[in-house]
Amino acid sequence: MCLGIPGQIVEITDAPRQMAVAEVSGVRREVSLAPVAERPLTELLGEWVLIHVGFAMAVIDADEAAQTLIALHDLGEAQEALEAMAEGERAFADPASDGGDSA
């Protein structure tokens, strides 16, 4: 499974190489627009794209980007909750992990 993260194209940095800057949740990173360069690159400014390993894989609309960002945020919170539960179960299963020594 590959995971695409929504990012908004904010700057074309190297048109001949089809490179641009995308903003992903407040962080800017350079991405390749080659997979989505079916039109002039300047027309992609302001567009939302799904980014995977440094490549803009698909142009998406703003609603889809927002829904994906919410889902990714929720998945992150769920993962944190699962990790906290697992940590609690490990501590419960191993009484020696309470910091005291049994000698």
Side-chain angles (χ1 to χ4, degrees), residues 75-99:
L75 283 172
E77 287 181 355
Q79 182 64 34
E80 288 174 12
L82 287 171
E83 288 172 2
M85 288 171 58
E87 185 63 31
E89 287 176 8
R90 281 191 293 275
F92 183 73
D94 182 10
S97 68
D98 65 2

Side-chain angles (χ1 to χ4, degrees), residues 6-91:
Q8 189 172 31
I9 304 301
V10 295
E11 178 185 354
I12 305 301
T13 56
D14 188 343
R17 291 183 44 236
Q18 299 179 322
M19 299 298 291
V21 171
E23 187 168 309
V24 179
S25 297
V27 177
R28 291 178 176 224
R29 60 186 60 185
E30 193 168 43
V31 299
S32 172
L33 297 177
V36 296
E38 294 126 8
R39 54 184 162 157
L41 298 182
T42 55
E43 291 182 16
L44 292 170
L45 284 170
E47 292 281 357
W48 285 91
V49 293
L50 281 179
I51 300 167
H52 178 66
V53 295
F55 290 88
M57 302 305 292
V59 176
I60 59 174
D61 64 40
D63 289 337
E64 184 177 353
Q67 290 173 1
T68 303
L69 288 169
I70 289 168
L72 290 171
H73 180 265
D74 291 348
L75 283 172
E77 287 181 355
Q79 182 64 34
E80 288 174 12
L82 287 171
E83 288 172 2
M85 288 171 58
E87 185 63 31
E89 287 176 8
R90 281 191 293 275

